[in-house]
Each structure stands twice: as C-alpha cells, then as structure tokens.
Amino acid sequence: MARDLGTKYTCFKCGTKFYDLKKPAPTCPNCGTDQREAPVPKVVTARQARAAAAAREESEVAAEAAEEEAEDEEEDEAEEETT
C-alpha cells in the first residue's frame, strides 16, 4: 500500500527530489532551502510565443540580407581593384 508522505518536491537549488512529510515548512533535506521561496516561472502564452518566433525569423532574414549585401560590396570592390 502507498503511504501518504505529503507533497513531492524537487528542490529548485540542488535538484533533490523529496517529500515534505506533511511538515508546515517544506525544506530540502540536502541543502536546507525553503521551497516556499522558489522563484515563480514566467508563463509564456501562445500569443507571446508566436510573437517571439516571428521576431526571431525577422532578425534571421535581416541578417541574411545584410550578409548578402556585404558579399556584394566585397565583390564590387574586388572588381574595381582588378580594372
């Protein structure tokens, strides 16, 4: 039979998995960190994820265009020097 050991935690500092044994303060047995002080992860909405992906894609396209322009300029300079 499964015993009720309380809530299962993964320590945000050292990564140790442990149960709080129904104690009022869930502290990590390995490093002693109070798990109530864990940083809250930022929730990314689907809209924010799409906007970030679009921005990354735009920056990649702009970088490719700038790279092509630089190559064209180098070729033009090389042609001017040879003539």
Side-chain angles (χ1 to χ4, degrees), residues 11-79:
C11 180
F12 68 93
K13 274 198 170 176
C14 67
T16 302
K17 294 180 182 180
F18 66 96
Y19 288 94
D20 67 355
L21 304 176
K22 296 186 179 182
K23 293 181 182 176
T27 55
C28 175
N30 192 27
C31 66
T33 305
D34 189 348
Q35 299 304 301
R36 295 176 293 184
E37 298 170 358
V40 178
K42 185 176 181 182
V43 178
V44 178
T45 63
R47 178 179 286 173
Q48 291 171 334
R50 285 193 303 268
R56 272 194 308 272
E57 187 174 311
E58 285 179 13
S59 66
E60 289 174 0
V61 169
E64 288 176 5
E67 187 176 300
E68 287 177 8
E69 285 181 23
E71 289 176 1
D72 290 343
E73 288 177 8
E74 288 176 5
E75 289 175 3
D76 291 343
E77 288 176 5
E79 287 177 8

